[in-house]
């Protein structure tokens, strides 16, 4: 092949990864998932603490918060894709995706390099010009330096990508790495790359060596100054600079090893790449907090606010240890009616989702769409089970109390399950996009590992959102009143009870709403825009109808769920329509879990066909006696369920609340239902 006629024929690039051993891949998946989780927890803790604690509103911690943000971004460029590949049969990425990964990786990596330089400058000014430090490193200067670090990373990345995209790639397409980086990618080019290597070494390796030498010399000068002239706070100054030197070393040394000479393959390349792309972002929060007393105290203070027994007293107010739920209605005569109504709804929810789950387990329905539907069914049952049993208990109890810890626990699970379902609905939209827009590769792309990863990613994202929201809400001081105007613990009614300014928490709730609802909703809209575009290209009207019918049920659920969630959380402290919000909350916590199995079954011939087959298994065709006997057993089972619910739920309520009393109306209602059911 003549190089002059060579064109870019490479559409996809395949990664070698760490190993081909399946069992070892699962071990690596679990290991790196733990590392990624620790990276998120550590860096989010740093960012949150720096924002909340007024004592950390200093230039050094402003830069540290930005470093944590960049570390999160850098690890998120490589780790999610690597985790996906551990569970995927084919470790591939499109050529455009590879170029995008290189761009964002060097964008964030370059920003880290320049920000570490800025942080060294900050320490130099603090030591050599202590009296003028705050004047020199004022807010505008700090903001400009951080912006300069981001711009520097952007320019560096643009240069790298510009050098790569001009190269012809005509094969091979196997990359001996676990992510796209230019030392490995340019080796796939079908032309002489010596000049390109020299240019890239100059833009990366030599620049890294030069900056590293400058930073080390600067820190030596700073340490000499501390030793010779500073008497007070010497230990604090040494520890701060020591942490800075440690971070600079673990970041620059692997980078210099990778980028400082014309690119040759070494056995330790993957280990070095793992060190500065995966391990360093996890270690940075640990390094900066272990020897920093201010940061440790701020984190301890932040975490201590989560404990109600350790919260400071506010004036003469009494700190709350429990809440009272107002419920759906204050009319005593409606409580029994509401109890039996929602008891039936809950029974339908459990039964409907259980039948749907059993139907989709059928071997004919072992495809990704039904795997996601089974997970959705499990989430629906879990959401209803977090809210409805406590609500049923409160219908039969005069004191609708819930402990402080119990309220926090309920809030955590409500947010966790709700956020997970939001992300899962986005994953289901992606599944429909692949099935309709790329049908020939559907089974390869949406394999069992990919489906499992999408579900796991949805759960992990929901957990992060729930932890952050629950922690932020319960750091608020509650000093009275303690009556929550709701039927379960949720963010909007809880923050209304706080005896402090909650504007900051309202803003972060709105931001969380955007992240949890609007971000996946936008992804769903993009997916369906591509789906509709593909459907319109189908010439047959019947084909268009059948294709769109597979998406119609999902669109209904998305509209109901995202619409109700948006109405609740976009105005977290609005008290103008609290009764309306109760109805909306009731809709997405109780009614939607009941409707979902119906929505996905009524327009789905495969599910209806499977249910028919299951029915025929239990009821033989033509055997009227067997059918009659089965009908009798079904009705008897229903009566026994209602009979048991009449007594057992009240008994459970008494165990949970310690209240063994009942009203006269409740006693008469129980006698009526027991007599009617026994007679039946």
């Amino acid at each position: 092949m003549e190089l002059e006629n060579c064109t870019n024929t490479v559409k996809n690039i395949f990664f070698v990864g760490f190993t081909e051993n399946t069992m070892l891949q699962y071990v690596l998946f679990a290991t790196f998932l733990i590392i990624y989780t620790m990276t998120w927890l550590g860096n989010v803790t740093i960012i949150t603490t720096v924002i909340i604690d007024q004592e950390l509103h200093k230039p050094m911690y402003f830069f540290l918060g930005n470093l944590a943000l960049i570390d999160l971004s850098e690890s998120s460029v490589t780790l999610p894709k690597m985790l996906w590949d551990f569970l995927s049969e084919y470790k591939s990425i499109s050529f455009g995706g590879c170029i995008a990964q290189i761009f964002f990786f060097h964008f964030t990596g370059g920003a880290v390099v320049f920000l570490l330089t800025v942080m060294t400058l900050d320490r130099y000014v603090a030591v050599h010009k202590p009296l003028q430090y705050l004047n020199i490193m004022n807010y505008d200067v700090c903001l400009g330096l951080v912006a300069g670090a981001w711009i520097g990373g952007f320019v560096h990345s643009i240069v790298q990508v510009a050098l790569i995209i001009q190269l012809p790639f005509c094969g091979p397409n196997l990359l001996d790495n676990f992510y796209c980086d230019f030392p490995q990618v340019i080796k796939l080019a079908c032309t002489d790359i010596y000049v390109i290597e020299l240019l890239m070494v100059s833009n990366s390796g030599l620049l890294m060596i030069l900056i590293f030498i400058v930073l080390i010399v600067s820190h030596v000068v700073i340490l000499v100054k501390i030793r010779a002239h500073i008497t007070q706070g010497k230990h604090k100054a040494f520890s701060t600079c020591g942490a800075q030197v440690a971070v600079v070393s673990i970041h620059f040394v692997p980078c210099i090893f990778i980028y400082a000479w014309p690119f040759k393959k070494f056995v330790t390349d993957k280990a070095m790449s793992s060190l500065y792309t995966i391990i360093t972002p996890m270690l940075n929060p640990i390094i900066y907090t272990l020897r920093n007393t201010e940061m440790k105290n701020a984190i301890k203070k932040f975490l201590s606010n989560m404990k109600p027994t350790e919260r400071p007293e506010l004036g003469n107010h009494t700190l709350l240890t429990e809440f009272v739920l107002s419920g759906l209605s204050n009319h005593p005569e409606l409580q029994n009616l509401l109890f039996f109504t929602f008891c039936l709804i809950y029974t339908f929810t459990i039964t409907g989702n259980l039948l749907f789950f059993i139907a989709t387990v059928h071997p004919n329905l072992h495809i990704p769409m039904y795997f996601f539907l089974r997970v959705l069914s499990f989430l629906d049952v879990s959401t209803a089970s977090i809210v409805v049993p406590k609500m049923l208990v409160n219908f039969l109890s005069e004191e609708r109390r819930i402990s402080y810890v119990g309220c926090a626990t309920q809030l955590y699970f409500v947010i966790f399950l709700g956020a997970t379902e939001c992300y899962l609905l986005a994953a289901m939209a992606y599944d429909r996009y692949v099935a309709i827009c790329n049908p020939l590769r559907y089974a390869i792309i949406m394999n069992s590992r990919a489906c499992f990863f999408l579900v796991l990613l949805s759960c992990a994202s929901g957990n992060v959102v729930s932890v952050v929201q629950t922690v932020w809400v319960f750091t608020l001081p509650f000093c009275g009143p303690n009556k929550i105007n709701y039927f379960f613990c949720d963010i909007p009614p809880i923050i209304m009870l706080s005896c402090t300014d909650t504007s900051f928490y309202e803003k972060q709730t709105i931001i969380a709403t955007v992240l949890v609802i609007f971000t996946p909703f936008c992804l769903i809209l993009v997916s369906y825009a591509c789906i509709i575009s593909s459907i319109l290209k189908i010439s047959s009207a019947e084909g268009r109808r059948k294709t769109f019918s597979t998406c119609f049920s999902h669109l209904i659920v998305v509209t109901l769920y995202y619409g109700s969630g948006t109405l609740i959380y976009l105005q977290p402290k609005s008290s103008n329509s609290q009764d309306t919000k109760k109805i909306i909350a009731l809709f997405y916590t109780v009614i939607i879990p009941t409707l979902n199995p119906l929505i996905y079954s009524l327009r789905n011939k495969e599910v209806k066909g499977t249910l028919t087959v299951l029915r025929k298994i239990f009821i033989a065709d033509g055997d009227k006696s067997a059918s009659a006997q089965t009908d009798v057993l079904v009705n008897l089972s229903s009566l026994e369920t209602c009979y048991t619910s009449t007594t057992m739920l009240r008994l459970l309520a008494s165990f949970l609340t310690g209240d063994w009393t009942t009203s006269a109306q409740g006693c008469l209602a129980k006698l009526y239902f027991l007599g009617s059911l026994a007679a039946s």
Side-chain angles (χ1 to χ4, degrees):
M1 182 188 298
E2 294 183 2
L3 295 178
E4 290 79 1
N5 298 326
C6 182
T7 57
N8 286 349
T9 59
V10 174
K11 302 299 181 183
N12 293 285
I13 292 176
F14 293 86
F15 297 121
V16 173
F18 285 97
T19 179
E20 295 182 357
N21 185 290
T22 303
M23 184 57 66
L24 188 56
Q25 287 191 50
Y26 286 120
V27 174
L28 290 173
F29 171 82
T31 302
F32 286 114
L33 180 62
I34 293 171
I35 291 174
Y36 191 43
T37 304
M38 291 176 63
T39 302
W40 265 91
L41 290 176
N43 285 286
V44 168
T45 300
I46 293 287
I47 295 170
T48 307
T49 306
V50 169
I51 292 174
I52 292 177
D53 199 304
Q54 297 290 330
E55 296 180 2
L56 299 185
H57 287 185
K58 302 175 184 177
M60 181 178 73
Y61 298 108
F62 175 71
F63 296 135
L64 182 57
N66 279 275
L67 180 64
L69 177 62
I70 299 175
D71 280 338
L72 271 182
S73 305
E74 185 176 20
S75 63
S76 297
V77 172
T78 56
L79 259 172
K81 173 60 180 169
M82 184 176 68
L83 292 172
W84 177 288
D85 288 340
F86 282 135
L87 301 177
S88 177
E89 186 177 355
Y90 299 98
K91 302 175 176 63
S92 65
I93 188 173
S94 67
F95 185 79
C98 184
I99 297 299
Q101 192 176 54
I102 291 174
F103 170 77
F104 284 108
F105 179 71
H106 283 273
F107 177 28
T108 54
V112 169
V113 169
F114 291 116
L115 186 61
L116 289 174
T117 306
V118 168
M119 294 173 73
T120 303
L121 173 64
D122 171 72
R123 291 299 85 205
Y124 180 86
V125 174
V127 172
H128 285 77
K129 303 283 185 179
L131 298 179
Q132 302 177 22
Y133 173 63
L134 293 179
N135 290 329
I136 296 174
M137 301 299 293
N138 57 58
Y139 178 77
D140 293 334
V141 171
C142 293
L143 197 62
L145 290 172
V146 169
W150 284 97
I151 293 171
F154 179 79
V155 172
H156 162 76
S157 185
I158 285 291
V159 172
Q160 298 295 94
V161 172
L163 292 173
I164 291 177
I165 59 175
Q166 64 179 337
L167 296 173
F169 294 91
C170 46
N173 63 345
L174 187 64
L175 198 69
D176 189 15
N177 208 351
F178 57 93
Y179 69 99
C180 285
D181 200 4
F182 62 79
Q184 292 80 29
V185 172
I186 64 171
K187 291 185 180 298
L188 304 181
C190 47
T191 187
D192 183 24
I193 58 171
Y194 180 71
V195 176
I196 301 295
E197 281 186 346
L198 291 180
L199 291 173
M200 288 187 170
V201 167
S202 301
N203 187 38
S204 293
L206 295 181
L207 182 64
M208 295 285 288
I209 292 174
L210 179 62
I211 294 176
F212 183 61
I213 292 173
V214 171
L215 294 183
I216 294 299
V217 171
S218 300
H219 279 99
V220 170
V221 173
I222 292 171
L223 293 172
V224 170
K225 176 73 174 180
I226 293 172
R227 185 182 181 87
H229 300 284
I230 296 179
T231 55
Q232 295 182 348
K234 182 179 291 187
H235 175 74
K236 178 182 176 181
F238 269 122
S239 64
T240 303
C241 291
Q244 180 78 7
V245 171
V247 171
V248 167
S249 300
I250 63 174
H251 189 86
F252 276 82
V253 171
C255 291
I256 292 172
F257 182 87
I258 296 292
Y259 303 114
W261 47 72
F263 309 127
K264 296 181 181 180
K265 183 179 178 181
F266 294 94
V267 178
T268 56
D269 277 0
K270 289 182 184 178
M272 287 293 179
S273 297
S274 302
L275 181 61
Y276 77 88
T277 59
I278 300 171
I279 306 301
T280 300
M282 179 191 69
L283 291 179
N284 282 353
I286 299 174
I287 294 171
Y288 278 111
T289 54
L290 281 179
R291 297 177 61 84
N292 191 310
T293 305
E294 286 183 331
M295 181 59 72
K296 284 194 291 186
N297 291 337
I299 293 175
K300 288 178 181 178
K301 179 182 175 182
F302 172 71
L303 295 176
S304 66
N305 287 333
M306 297 168 56
K307 303 176 182 179
T309 56
E310 298 179 9
R311 290 177 297 156
E313 294 186 0
L314 299 175
N316 296 322
H317 296 289
T318 303
L319 295 177
L320 301 182
T321 58
E322 64 179 11
F323 295 100
V324 176
L325 297 169
S326 66
L328 292 176
S329 173
N330 293 323
H331 299 287
E333 62 274 9
L334 292 177
Q335 300 304 309
N336 292 312
L337 177 62
L338 290 172
F339 169 80
F340 284 104
T341 301
F342 285 101
C343 186
L344 287 174
I345 292 174
Y346 186 52
T347 303
F348 288 143
T349 302
I350 300 295
T351 306
N353 283 281
L354 182 61
L355 286 174
F356 186 83
F357 191 92
I358 293 172
T360 55
V361 172
H362 194 275
N364 294 337
L365 302 183
H366 281 188
I367 59 175
M369 181 178 75
Y370 294 108
F371 171 73
F372 291 127
L373 287 176
R374 286 194 293 273
V375 177
L376 180 66
S377 183
F378 174 77
L379 292 175
D380 284 338
V381 171
S382 301
T383 301
S385 298
I386 292 298
V387 175
V388 178
K390 179 61 180 173
M391 184 168 63
L392 293 175
V393 168
N394 289 338
F395 284 140
L396 302 177
S397 175
E398 294 181 0
E399 296 182 353
R400 303 165 182 175
R401 296 177 180 176
I402 185 170
S403 67
Y404 187 92
V405 176
C407 188
T409 303
Q410 189 181 54
L411 178 64
Y412 166 80
F413 280 106
V414 167
I415 299 174
F416 168 61
L417 295 167
T420 301
E421 187 159 338
C422 284
Y423 293 121
L424 183 68
L425 290 171
M428 294 170 69
Y430 175 72
D431 170 72
R432 292 297 83 208
Y433 161 76
V434 176
I436 294 172
C437 299
N438 203 350
L440 297 179
R441 298 188 61 205
Y442 176 64
I444 297 174
I445 296 174
M446 299 302 295
N447 56 61
S448 58
R449 290 182 178 181
C451 294
F452 177 76
F453 177 80
L454 286 173
V455 171
L456 190 64
L457 185 63
S458 299
C459 293
S461 303
N463 180 61
V464 171
V465 171
S466 183
V467 168
V468 172
Q469 292 291 95
T470 305
V471 169
W472 279 7
V473 168
F474 282 91
T475 54
L476 290 170
F478 298 99
C479 44
N482 69 337
K483 188 173 183 179
I484 299 176
N485 188 17
Y486 231 52
F487 58 95
F488 69 98
C489 290
D490 200 8
I491 295 174
I494 291 177
I495 64 175
M496 294 178 68
L497 302 181
S498 177
C499 48
T500 187
D501 181 25
T502 59
S503 57
F504 173 75
Y505 295 90
E506 293 176 50
K507 291 176 183 177
Q508 69 86 16
T509 301
I510 293 174
I511 293 171
T513 302
V514 172
L515 292 176
V516 176
I517 296 179
F518 283 100
T519 302
F521 185 67
C522 289
L523 295 176
I524 292 172
L525 290 179
V526 172
S527 298
Y528 274 102
C530 298
I531 288 170
I532 292 171
S533 176
S534 297
I535 291 174
L536 293 176
K537 295 177 183 178
I538 300 174
S539 57
S540 169
E542 182 65 18
R544 289 197 297 268
R545 187 190 65 79
K546 287 183 177 180
T547 305
F548 187 75
S549 66
T550 62
C551 305
F552 187 73
S553 300
H554 184 253
L555 279 174
I556 293 175
V557 173
V558 166
T559 303
L560 293 175
Y561 199 80
Y562 282 83
S564 56
T566 302
L567 292 174
I568 291 292
Y569 296 107
L570 270 185
Q571 294 180 325
K573 203 175 178 180
S574 174
S575 59
N576 298 326
S577 56
Q578 196 64 24
D579 291 336
T580 304
K581 286 190 174 183
K582 283 186 186 181
I583 296 172
I584 297 172
L586 189 69
F587 190 71
Y588 80 86
T589 57
V590 180
I591 306 302
I592 289 180
T594 308
L595 294 177
N596 279 353
L598 297 175
I599 293 171
Y600 280 109
S601 300
L602 288 177
R603 295 181 59 88
N604 193 311
K605 293 181 180 180
E606 292 174 323
V607 174
K608 287 193 290 185
T610 305
L611 289 172
T612 303
V613 171
L614 292 173
R615 182 175 181 274
K616 288 180 179 180
I617 292 174
F618 295 101
I619 303 177
D621 289 335
D623 191 350
K624 296 182 179 179
S625 61
S627 178
Q629 183 182 10
T630 304
D631 289 340
V632 171
L633 290 174
V634 169
N635 283 284
L636 181 61
S637 177
S638 300
L639 289 172
E640 287 178 347
T641 301
C642 295
Y643 190 86
T644 306
S645 299
T646 304
T647 54
M648 286 302 297
L649 286 172
R650 183 66 186 93
L651 184 63
L652 290 173
S654 299
F655 277 121
L656 292 172
T657 62
D659 179 17
W660 295 89
T661 61
T662 186
S663 63
Q665 297 92 336
C667 186
L668 290 174
K670 184 182 291 186
L671 286 172
Y672 168 76
F673 282 107
L674 285 174
S676 301
L677 293 169
S680 301

